[in-house]
Amino acid sequence: MPAIQLTPAQRKEKRSEAHHLAPVVMIGADGLTPAVVKETDAALKAHGLIKVRVFSDDRAGRESIFASLCGELDAAPIQHIGKLLVIWRPMPEKEDAERDENAKGAPRIVKIVKFSKSGNHRPQMKKLRVLGNERVAQGGEIKRAKRRITSVKKQAQD
């Protein structure tokens, strides 16, 4: 599979995004093994943009590793600086699980922030656990969802 081709402007943007990243894959003395390729593929699926550190002093060897990784994994080569390689591949779309209509919502943690009236004090933060049949009202209190009331005529039709 050929590597993804990017414009210089796109590569520049990806380089700036990768600046603060730490290397997630390390390539040692054994070089590019199938285990390293598999781990790099998993990291690209999880993160999209990764750094790879190659512990080799041979610059030509690092360039060949960079080219073969990008070719095998269908990724775009972003940057090769020193012993660091930056690789990018678009992340796959996550499939949302079809939700059963009768299923209730799962509990979730909600952070409620109440600001002070004077503005000189810090806001008060509270974390609350909200169940599937509950909702957070305007004032920050939790209200239980009520069943919809149907008319007598509609109940008779069912």
Side-chain angles (χ1 to χ4, degrees):
M1 289 184 269
I4 299 172
Q5 298 298 320
L6 296 177
T7 64
Q10 290 171 326
R11 259 197 320 278
K12 182 179 179 181
E13 182 182 334
K14 297 296 178 194
R15 272 198 319 264
S16 66
E17 290 175 17
H19 177 72
H20 72 281
L21 297 177
V24 292
V25 177
M26 311 286 183
I27 300 177
D30 293 338
L32 195 61
T33 62
V36 169
V37 174
K38 183 179 176 184
E39 198 61 36
T40 307
D41 186 38
L44 282 170
K45 284 181 185 173
H47 303 289
L49 181 68
I50 63 167
K51 278 187 181 176
V52 178
R53 181 174 299 278
V54 182
F55 293 111
S56 171
D57 292 330
D58 182 23
R59 180 166 176 79
R62 287 193 306 264
E63 287 176 355
S64 67
I65 288 174
F66 193 33
S68 62
L69 260 180
C70 292
E72 284 182 43
L73 299 176
D74 193 26
I78 302 298
Q79 186 178 27
H80 173 203
I81 183 162
K83 295 184 178 186
L84 285 176
L85 313 174
V86 181
I87 300 172
W88 174 78
R89 181 173 69 189
M91 290 179 57
E93 294 289 326
K94 293 183 179 178
E95 297 177 16
D96 293 335
E98 293 296 323
R99 195 173 219 201
D100 188 18
E101 291 180 14
N102 298 330
K104 302 281 185 186
R108 61 193 186 279
I109 304 296
V110 176
K111 183 167 52 170
I112 296 176
V113 180
K114 288 189 179 180
F115 294 100
S116 69
K117 292 182 182 177
S118 68
N120 292 332
H121 303 289
R122 290 186 177 187
Q124 295 177 350
M125 289 190 221
K126 222 182 343 181
K127 289 188 178 181
L128 300 173
R129 187 169 180 243
V130 179
L131 300 177
N133 62 343
E134 296 174 339
R135 64 183 174 87
V136 179
Q138 182 72 29
E141 65 253 7
I142 295 179
K143 293 195 173 181
R144 196 167 273 211
K146 296 179 183 174
R147 291 185 53 131
R148 283 193 101 140
I149 302 172
T150 57
S151 68
V152 178
K153 292 179 182 177
K154 286 188 178 178
Q155 287 178 350
Q157 288 177 352
D158 293 336

